[in-house]
Amino acid sequence: MALRNYRSIESAEVELAPFSVLVGPNSSGKSNFVDALVLASELGFDAASAIQRRGGSPGPPSLGNLGRGSA
């Protein structure tokens, strides 16, 4: 698995086995790595919801909202 610029992870390439264990000090990105795995799994089912749950935009702004002060 390769990650680039995902939360606290600038760059990581990890070869996962059927059973893998993440070990590291506090604040080293273990939870963010696991979240990236979950995100990758969720993207196949409902990409918009998966991204929105992580604070991302639900999609591009609709044309009806342009010019009305909404972002």
Side-chain angles (χ1 to χ4, degrees):
M1 174 171 193
L3 292 174
R4 301 279 182 271
N5 300 318
Y6 184 77
R7 296 189 176 193
S8 66
I9 302 171
E10 184 177 323
S11 178
E13 290 189 29
V14 178
E15 207 171 304
L16 297 171
F19 180 81
S20 297
V21 178
L22 293 176
V23 178
N26 292 342
S27 300
S28 63
K30 297 179 302 288
S31 294
N32 289 336
F33 185 82
V34 171
D35 186 60
L37 289 173
V38 173
L39 173 61
S41 172
E42 291 176 349
L43 286 174
F45 297 102
D46 187 357
S49 292
I51 292 168
Q52 199 169 13
R53 273 195 297 279
R54 288 162 180 83
S57 171
S62 68
L63 292 176
N65 291 334
L66 292 177
R68 295 190 183 156
S70 61

Coordinates of all heavy atoms in Angstrom, one line a residue:
M1 N 0.9 -1.2 0.0 CA 0.0 0.0 0.0 C 0.9 1.2 0.0 O 1.9 1.3 0.7 CB -0.9 0.0 1.2 CG -1.7 1.2 1.4 SD -2.9 1.0 2.7 CE -3.9 2.4 2.4
A2 N 0.5 2.2 -0.8 CA 1.3 3.4 -0.9 C 0.4 4.6 -0.5 O -0.7 4.7 -0.9 CB 1.9 3.7 -2.3
L3 N 0.9 5.5 0.4 CA 0.1 6.7 0.8 C 1.0 7.9 0.5 O 2.2 7.9 0.7 CB -0.1 6.6 2.3 CG -1.1 5.6 2.8 CD1 -1.1 5.6 4.4 CD2 -2.5 5.8 2.3
R4 N 0.3 8.9 0.1 CA 1.0 10.2 -0.1 C 0.1 11.3 0.5 O -1.1 11.4 0.1 CB 1.2 10.5 -1.6 CG 2.0 9.5 -2.3 CD 3.5 9.7 -2.1 NE 4.3 8.8 -2.9 CZ 4.6 7.6 -2.4 NH1 4.3 7.2 -1.3 NH2 5.3 6.7 -3.2
N5 N 0.6 12.1 1.4 CA -0.1 13.3 1.9 C -1.5 12.9 2.5 O -2.5 13.6 2.2 CB -0.3 14.4 0.9 CG 1.1 14.9 0.4 OD1 2.0 15.0 1.2 ND2 1.2 15.0 -0.9
Y6 N -1.6 11.9 3.3 CA -2.8 11.5 3.9 C -2.7 11.8 5.4 O -1.9 11.2 6.1 CB -3.2 10.1 3.7 CG -4.6 9.7 4.3 CD1 -5.7 10.1 3.7 CD2 -4.7 9.1 5.5 CE1 -7.0 9.8 4.2 CE2 -5.9 8.8 6.1 CZ -7.0 9.2 5.4 OH -8.3 8.9 6.0
R7 N -3.4 12.8 5.9 CA -3.4 13.3 7.3 C -1.9 13.6 7.7 O -1.2 14.4 7.1 CB -4.1 12.4 8.2 CG -5.6 12.3 7.8 CD -6.4 11.6 8.8 NE -7.8 11.6 8.5 CZ -8.7 11.3 9.3 NH1 -8.4 10.8 10.5 NH2 -10.0 11.4 8.9
S8 N -1.4 12.8 8.7 CA -0.1 13.1 9.2 C 1.0 12.3 8.4 O 2.2 12.4 8.7 CB 0.0 12.7 10.7 OG -0.1 11.3 10.8
I9 N 0.6 11.5 7.4 CA 1.5 10.7 6.7 C 1.9 11.4 5.4 O 1.1 11.5 4.5 CB 0.9 9.3 6.4 CG1 0.5 8.6 7.7 CG2 1.9 8.5 5.5 CD1 -0.3 7.4 7.5
E10 N 3.1 11.9 5.3 CA 3.6 12.5 4.1 C 3.8 11.5 3.0 O 3.4 11.7 1.8 CB 4.9 13.3 4.4 CG 5.5 14.1 3.2 CD 6.7 14.8 3.6 OE1 6.8 15.3 4.7 OE2 7.6 14.9 2.7
S11 N 4.5 10.4 3.3 CA 4.8 9.4 2.3 C 5.0 8.1 3.0 O 5.8 8.0 4.0 CB 6.0 9.8 1.5 OG 6.3 8.8 0.5
A12 N 4.4 7.0 2.6 CA 4.6 5.7 3.1 C 4.3 4.6 2.1 O 3.4 4.7 1.4 CB 3.8 5.5 4.4
E13 N 5.2 3.6 2.1 CA 4.9 2.4 1.2 C 5.1 1.2 2.1 O 6.2 1.0 2.7 CB 5.9 2.4 0.1 CG 5.6 3.4 -1.0 CD 6.4 3.3 -2.2 OE1 6.8 2.1 -2.6 OE2 6.7 4.3 -2.9
V14 N 4.1 0.4 2.3 CA 4.1 -0.7 3.2 C 3.5 -1.9 2.5 O 2.5 -1.9 1.8 CB 3.2 -0.4 4.4 CG1 3.2 -1.6 5.4 CG2 3.7 0.9 5.2
E15 N 4.3 -3.0 2.6 CA 3.8 -4.3 2.1 C 3.1 -5.0 3.2 O 3.6 -5.3 4.2 CB 5.0 -5.1 1.6 CG 4.7 -6.1 0.5 CD 6.0 -6.7 -0.1 OE1 6.8 -5.9 -0.5 OE2 6.0 -7.9 -0.1
L16 N 1.8 -5.2 3.0 CA 0.9 -5.9 4.0 C 0.8 -7.4 3.7 O 0.7 -7.8 2.6 CB -0.4 -5.2 4.0 CG -0.5 -3.8 4.3 CD1 -1.9 -3.2 4.1 CD2 -0.1 -3.5 5.8
A17 N 0.9 -8.1 4.8 CA 0.7 -9.6 4.8 C -0.8 -9.9 5.2 O -1.5 -9.0 5.7 CB 1.7 -10.3 5.7
P18 N -1.2 -11.1 5.1 CA -2.6 -11.4 5.6 C -2.8 -11.0 7.0 O -3.9 -10.7 7.5 CB -2.7 -12.9 5.4 CG -1.8 -13.2 4.2 CD -0.6 -12.2 4.4
F19 N -1.7 -11.1 7.8 CA -1.8 -10.6 9.2 C -0.6 -9.7 9.4 O 0.5 -10.0 9.3 CB -1.7 -11.8 10.2 CG -1.7 -11.4 11.6 CD1 -2.9 -11.1 12.3 CD2 -0.5 -11.2 12.4 CE1 -3.0 -10.7 13.6 CE2 -0.6 -10.8 13.7 CZ -1.8 -10.6 14.3
S20 N -0.9 -8.4 9.7 CA 0.1 -7.4 9.9 C -0.2 -6.7 11.2 O -1.3 -6.5 11.6 CB 0.1 -6.4 8.7 OG 0.4 -7.0 7.5
V21 N 0.9 -6.3 11.9 CA 0.8 -5.6 13.1 C 1.5 -4.2 13.0 O 2.7 -4.2 12.5 CB 1.5 -6.4 14.3 CG1 1.4 -5.6 15.6 CG2 0.8 -7.7 14.4
L22 N 0.9 -3.1 13.4 CA 1.5 -1.8 13.4 C 2.0 -1.5 14.8 O 1.3 -1.6 15.7 CB 0.5 -0.7 13.0 CG 0.0 -0.8 11.5 CD1 -1.1 0.3 11.3 CD2 1.1 -0.6 10.6
V23 N 3.3 -1.2 14.8 CA 3.9 -0.8 16.1 C 4.7 0.5 15.9 O 5.3 0.7 14.9 CB 4.9 -1.9 16.5 CG1 5.6 -1.6 17.8 CG2 4.2 -3.3 16.7
G24 N 4.5 1.4 16.9 CA 5.3 2.6 16.8 C 4.9 3.5 18.0 O 4.0 3.3 18.7
P25 N 5.7 4.6 18.2 CA 5.4 5.5 19.3 C 4.1 6.3 19.1 O 3.5 6.3 18.0 CB 6.6 6.4 19.3 CG 7.1 6.4 17.9 CD 6.8 5.0 17.3
N26 N 3.7 6.9 20.2 CA 2.5 7.8 20.1 C 2.7 8.8 19.0 O 3.8 9.3 18.8 CB 2.2 8.4 21.4 CG 1.8 7.4 22.5 OD1 1.4 6.3 22.2 ND2 1.9 7.8 23.7
S27 N 1.6 9.2 18.4 CA 1.6 10.3 17.3 C 2.5 10.0 16.2 O 3.1 10.9 15.5 CB 2.0 11.6 18.0 OG 1.1 12.0 19.0
S28 N 2.7 8.7 15.8 CA 3.5 8.3 14.7 C 2.7 8.1 13.4 O 3.3 7.8 12.4 CB 4.4 7.1 15.0 OG 3.6 6.0 15.3
G29 N 1.4 8.1 13.5 CA 0.6 7.9 12.3 C -0.1 6.5 12.2 O -0.7 6.2 11.1
K30 N 0.0 5.7 13.2 CA -0.6 4.3 13.1 C -2.1 4.4 12.9 O -2.6 3.7 12.0 CB -0.4 3.6 14.4 CG 1.1 3.3 14.7 CD 1.3 2.5 16.0 CE 0.7 3.2 17.3 NZ 1.4 4.4 17.7
S31 N -2.8 5.2 13.6 CA -4.3 5.4 13.4 C -4.6 5.9 12.1 O -5.6 5.5 11.4 CB -4.9 6.3 14.5 OG -4.8 5.6 15.8
N32 N -3.8 6.9 11.6 CA -4.1 7.4 10.3 C -3.8 6.4 9.2 O -4.5 6.4 8.2 CB -3.2 8.7 10.0 CG -3.7 9.8 10.9 OD1 -4.8 9.9 11.3 ND2 -2.7 10.8 11.1
F33 N -2.9 5.5 9.4 CA -2.6 4.5 8.4 C -3.8 3.5 8.4 O -4.3 3.1 7.3 CB -1.3 3.7 8.8 CG -1.0 2.7 7.7 CD1 -0.3 3.0 6.6 CD2 -1.3 1.3 7.9 CE1 0.0 2.1 5.6 CE2 -1.0 0.4 7.0 CZ -0.4 0.7 5.8
V34 N -4.3 3.1 9.5 CA -5.5 2.2 9.6 C -6.7 2.9 9.0 O -7.4 2.3 8.2 CB -5.7 1.8 11.1 CG1 -7.1 1.1 11.2 CG2 -4.6 0.9 11.6
D35 N -6.9 4.2 9.2 CA -8.0 4.9 8.6 C -7.9 5.0 7.1 O -8.9 4.9 6.4 CB -8.1 6.4 9.2 CG -9.3 7.1 8.7 OD1 -10.4 6.6 9.0 OD2 -9.2 8.1 8.0
A36 N -6.7 5.1 6.6 CA -6.5 5.0 5.1 C -6.9 3.7 4.6 O -7.5 3.6 3.5 CB -5.0 5.3 4.8
L37 N -6.6 2.6 5.3 CA -7.1 1.3 4.9 C -8.6 1.2 4.9 O -9.2 0.7 3.9 CB -6.5 0.2 5.8 CG -5.0 -0.1 5.7 CD1 -4.6 -1.1 6.8 CD2 -4.7 -0.7 4.4
V38 N -9.2 1.7 5.9 CA -10.7 1.7 6.0 C -11.3 2.6 4.9 O -12.2 2.2 4.2 CB -11.1 2.2 7.4 CG1 -12.7 2.3 7.4 CG2 -10.7 1.2 8.5
L39 N -10.7 3.7 4.7 CA -11.1 4.6 3.6 C -11.1 3.9 2.2 O -12.0 3.9 1.5 CB -10.3 5.9 3.5 CG -10.6 6.8 2.3 CD1 -12.0 7.3 2.3 CD2 -9.6 8.0 2.4
A40 N -10.0 3.2 2.0 CA -9.8 2.5 0.7 C -10.9 1.5 0.5 O -11.5 1.3 -0.5 CB -8.4 1.9 0.6
S41 N -11.3 0.8 1.6 CA -12.3 -0.2 1.6 C -13.7 0.4 1.4 O -14.5 0.0 0.6 CB -12.3 -1.0 2.9 OG -13.5 -1.8 3.0
E42 N -14.0 1.6 2.1 CA -15.2 2.2 2.0 C -15.5 2.9 0.6 O -16.6 3.1 0.2 CB -15.4 3.3 3.1 CG -15.5 2.7 4.4 CD -15.6 3.8 5.5 OE1 -15.3 5.0 5.2 OE2 -15.8 3.4 6.7
L43 N -14.4 3.3 -0.1 CA -14.5 4.0 -1.3 C -15.3 3.1 -2.4 O -16.0 3.7 -3.2 CB -13.2 4.4 -1.9 CG -12.5 5.6 -1.2 CD1 -11.1 5.8 -1.7 CD2 -13.4 6.9 -1.3
G44 N -15.1 1.8 -2.3 CA -15.8 0.9 -3.2 C -17.3 0.8 -3.0 O -18.0 0.4 -3.9
F45 N -17.7 1.2 -1.8 CA -19.2 1.1 -1.5 C -19.9 2.4 -1.7 O -21.0 2.5 -2.3 CB -19.4 0.5 -0.1 CG -18.8 -0.9 0.0 CD1 -17.6 -1.1 0.6 CD2 -19.5 -2.0 -0.5 CE1 -17.1 -2.4 0.8 CE2 -19.0 -3.2 -0.4 CZ -17.8 -3.4 0.2
D46 N -19.4 3.5 -1.0 CA -20.0 4.8 -1.0 C -19.0 5.8 -0.9 O -18.7 6.3 0.2 CB -21.1 4.8 0.1 CG -21.9 6.1 0.0 OD1 -21.7 7.0 -0.8 OD2 -22.8 6.2 0.9
A47 N -18.3 6.2 -2.0 CA -17.2 7.1 -1.9 C -17.6 8.5 -1.3 O -16.8 9.0 -0.5 CB -16.6 7.3 -3.3
A48 N -18.7 9.0 -1.7 CA -19.1 10.4 -1.2 C -19.2 10.4 0.3 O -18.7 11.3 1.0 CB -20.4 10.8 -1.8
S49 N -19.9 9.3 0.9 CA -20.0 9.3 2.3 C -18.7 9.0 3.0 O -18.4 9.6 4.1 CB -21.0 8.1 2.7 OG -22.3 8.5 2.3
A50 N -17.9 8.2 2.5 CA -16.6 7.9 3.1 C -15.7 9.2 3.2 O -15.1 9.4 4.2 CB -15.8 6.9 2.2
I51 N -15.7 10.0 2.1 CA -14.9 11.2 2.1 C -15.6 12.3 3.0 O -14.9 12.9 3.8 CB -14.8 11.8 0.7 CG1 -13.9 10.8 -0.1 CG2 -14.2 13.2 0.7 CD1 -13.9 11.0 -1.6
Q52 N -16.9 12.3 3.0 CA -17.6 13.3 3.9 C -17.4 13.0 5.3 O -17.2 13.9 6.2 CB -19.1 13.3 3.5 CG -19.8 14.5 4.0 CD -21.2 14.6 3.4 OE1 -21.7 13.6 2.8 NE2 -21.8 15.7 3.5
R53 N -17.4 11.7 5.7 CA -17.1 11.4 7.2 C -15.8 11.8 7.6 O -15.5 12.0 8.8 CB -17.3 9.9 7.3 CG -18.7 9.4 7.6 CD -18.7 8.0 8.1 NE -18.2 7.0 7.1 CZ -18.8 6.5 6.1 NH1 -20.1 6.9 5.9 NH2 -18.3 5.6 5.3
R54 N -14.8 12.0 6.7 CA -13.5 12.4 7.1 C -13.3 13.9 6.9 O -12.2 14.4 6.9 CB -12.5 11.6 6.3 CG -12.4 10.2 6.8 CD -11.8 9.3 5.8 NE -11.7 7.9 6.3 CZ -12.8 7.1 6.3 NH1 -13.9 7.4 5.7 NH2 -12.7 5.9 6.8
G55 N -14.4 14.7 6.8 CA -14.3 16.1 6.7 C -14.1 16.6 5.3 O -13.9 17.8 5.1
G56 N -14.2 15.8 4.3 CA -14.0 16.2 2.9 C -15.3 16.7 2.3 O -16.4 16.6 2.9
S57 N -15.2 17.3 1.2 CA -16.4 17.9 0.5 C -17.3 16.7 0.0 O -16.8 15.8 -0.5 CB -16.0 18.8 -0.6 OG -17.0 19.1 -1.4
P58 N -18.6 16.9 0.1 CA -19.5 15.8 -0.5 C -19.5 15.8 -2.0 O -20.0 14.9 -2.6 CB -20.8 16.2 0.1 CG -20.8 17.7 0.3 CD -19.3 17.9 0.7
G59 N -18.9 16.8 -2.6 CA -18.9 16.9 -4.1 C -18.7 18.3 -4.5 O -18.6 19.2 -3.7
P60 N -18.7 18.5 -5.8 CA -18.5 19.8 -6.3 C -19.7 20.7 -6.0 O -20.8 20.1 -5.9 CB -18.3 19.6 -7.8 CG -18.9 18.3 -8.1 CD -18.8 17.5 -6.9
P61 N -19.6 22.0 -5.9 CA -20.7 22.8 -5.7 C -21.7 22.8 -6.9 O -21.3 22.6 -8.0 CB -20.2 24.3 -5.5 CG -18.8 24.2 -6.2 CD -18.4 22.8 -6.1
S62 N -23.0 22.8 -6.5 CA -24.0 22.8 -7.6 C -24.0 24.1 -8.3 O -23.8 25.1 -7.7 CB -25.3 22.3 -7.1 OG -25.9 23.4 -6.3
L63 N -24.4 24.1 -9.5 CA -24.5 25.4 -10.3 C -25.5 26.3 -9.6 O -25.4 27.5 -9.7 CB -24.9 25.1 -11.7 CG -23.8 24.4 -12.6 CD1 -24.3 24.1 -14.0 CD2 -22.6 25.2 -12.6
G64 N -26.6 25.8 -9.0 CA -27.6 26.6 -8.3 C -27.0 27.4 -7.2 O -27.6 28.4 -6.8
N65 N -25.9 27.0 -6.6 CA -25.4 27.6 -5.4 C -24.3 28.7 -5.8 O -23.9 29.4 -4.9 CB -24.7 26.6 -4.5 CG -25.8 25.8 -3.8 OD1 -26.9 26.2 -3.6 ND2 -25.4 24.6 -3.4
L66 N -23.9 28.7 -7.0 CA -22.8 29.6 -7.4 C -23.3 31.1 -7.4 O -24.4 31.4 -7.8 CB -22.3 29.3 -8.8 CG -21.6 28.0 -9.0 CD1 -21.2 27.7 -10.4 CD2 -20.4 27.9 -8.1
G67 N -22.5 31.9 -6.8 CA -22.9 33.4 -6.8 C -23.8 33.7 -5.7 O -24.3 34.9 -5.6
R68 N -24.2 32.8 -4.8 CA -25.1 33.1 -3.7 C -24.4 33.1 -2.3 O -25.1 33.0 -1.3 CB -26.2 32.1 -3.7 CG -27.1 32.2 -4.9 CD -28.3 31.3 -4.8 NE -29.0 31.4 -6.0 CZ -29.9 30.5 -6.4 NH1 -30.1 29.4 -5.7 NH2 -30.5 30.6 -7.6
G69 N -23.1 33.3 -2.3 CA -22.4 33.4 -1.1 C -22.1 32.1 -0.4 O -21.6 32.1 0.7
S70 N -22.5 31.0 -1.0 CA -22.2 29.7 -0.3 C -20.9 29.1 -0.9 O -20.6 29.3 -2.1 CB -23.3 28.7 -0.5 OG -23.5 28.5 -1.9
A71 N -20.1 28.5 -0.1 CA -18.9 27.9 -0.5 C -19.0 26.5 -0.8 O -19.8 25.8 -0.3 CB -17.8 28.1 0.6

